[in-house]
Amino acid sequence: MDRPAQRNAINRGIIEGLKLAWQRLEQDPALRVGILTGAGDKAFCAGMDLKEAAAMQLRIPPRDMFPVLGDSVRISKPTIAAVNGVALAGGWLFAQMCDLCVASEQATFGITEAKVGRGMPWAAPLIHMLPQRIAMEVLLTGKPISAQRAHALGYVNEVVQHAQLLDCAVALARVIAANAPLTVQAARELVYLSTEMGRSAALDAAHALFEPVYLSEDAQEGPRAFAEKRAPLWKGR
């Protein structure tokens, strides 16, 4: 997101740019992992551009207005949020929607809609990511929390020095990209379907989810490469 002077606030340009980026990630077989970050040193994303929203006299945003992974946009590949500064309102949403999150030590996270009279229906999945009373605190007070506290609560995977943030995100992406793509795709889906189902239903769905993985060429290549003491050559089939 490249509007550093506006703290990467969400406008039409960012919306359209993200739509194209997610489409490219999904459609390009050479791409295994996506990383989302913000330009500059101060903000990941400060949320909706309220000046633009005021000019539009925006009332209820259409559900597909923002390119939200797992809602208006469906992709099958892992994504990482590299949060380099403030992540407020829609910025929190953009960090929340990614599969993993690494943060600069100077990052902060906040859902500030209560302070401006707006809504946050997109925060519904948060109950699977934060304890209930923490979610209540974040939503009702609008007060940001530090990257360190978010990490302690399990919302952030890793907190690093600011200068190391992108290197950390890329290193994490490389680890994922080196793994068997069919297994990664199914494992990612496993986590999300498990939040939607009870224990027994999730187990049944998981067995069906991984059956084509077990039957793939990669499932034979992995053990063979291990036995031959070489790196596996994944085909994704």
Side-chain angles (χ1 to χ4, degrees):
M1 295 173 285
D2 192 11
R3 302 183 73 211
Q6 294 80 27
R7 300 202 301 170
N8 299 316
I10 304 165
N11 68 347
R12 293 174 187 172
I14 283 184
I15 289 171
E16 292 306 313
L18 282 176
K19 287 179 180 178
L20 291 173
W22 298 137
Q23 184 179 42
R24 180 185 171 200
L25 174 63
E26 183 66 13
Q27 294 179 353
D28 189 339
L31 301 179
R32 298 282 187 85
V33 183
I35 298 173
L36 177 63
T37 194
D41 293 329
K42 295 182 178 179
F44 172 71
C45 174
M48 183 69 184
D49 188 323
L50 294 180
K51 292 181 181 178
E52 185 173 292
M56 293 168 59
Q57 296 186 323
L58 185 66
R59 295 180 69 84
I60 300 176
R63 187 162 177 169
D64 62 354
M65 179 175 178
F66 302 115
V68 180
L69 303 179
D71 188 2
S72 60
V73 176
R74 302 285 176 174
I75 66 171
S76 59
K77 298 176 183 179
T79 54
I80 301 170
V83 180
N84 54 306
V86 297
L88 303 178
W92 177 300
L93 164 60
F94 284 167
Q96 173 186 293
M97 72 183 182
C98 293
D99 302 311
L100 298 164
C101 180
V102 295
S104 158
E105 60 189 352
Q106 67 189 42
T108 57
F109 298 80
I111 299 179
T112 52
E113 276 76 357
K115 293 184 176 296
V116 292
R118 301 296 292 174
M120 69 294 276
W122 47 261
L126 198 59
I127 199 63
H128 296 292
M129 307 174 79
L130 287 175
Q132 178 175 314
R133 292 195 173 181
I134 303 300
M136 283 287 193
E137 175 189 339
V138 167
L139 294 170
L140 302 187
T141 69
K143 292 172 57 179
I145 62 174
S146 68
Q148 292 77 10
R149 188 179 182 204
H151 179 260
L153 291 165
Y155 185 73
V156 168
N157 294 93
E158 192 168 354
V159 178
V160 297
Q161 293 180 5
H162 184 75
Q164 298 175 345
L165 178 65
L166 277 182
D167 288 342
C168 174
V170 170
L172 183 58
R174 290 189 187 280
V175 171
I176 296 169
N179 289 334
L182 293 179
T183 301
V184 168
Q185 180 178 337
R188 177 181 178 275
E189 185 65 21
L190 171 69
V191 172
Y192 289 118
L193 70 82
S194 296
T195 67
E196 305 287 340
M197 302 177 179
R199 176 183 177 277
S200 297
L203 282 170
D204 289 342
H207 282 286
L209 184 65
F210 279 96
E211 185 173 317
V213 178
Y214 286 126
L215 295 175
S216 69
E217 292 180 35
D218 283 352
Q220 300 302 314
E221 166 63 7
R224 183 166 55 244
F226 179 83
E228 296 173 2
K229 298 182 179 179
R230 60 174 175 82
L233 299 174
W234 306 122
K235 296 181 179 178
R237 60 177 189 267

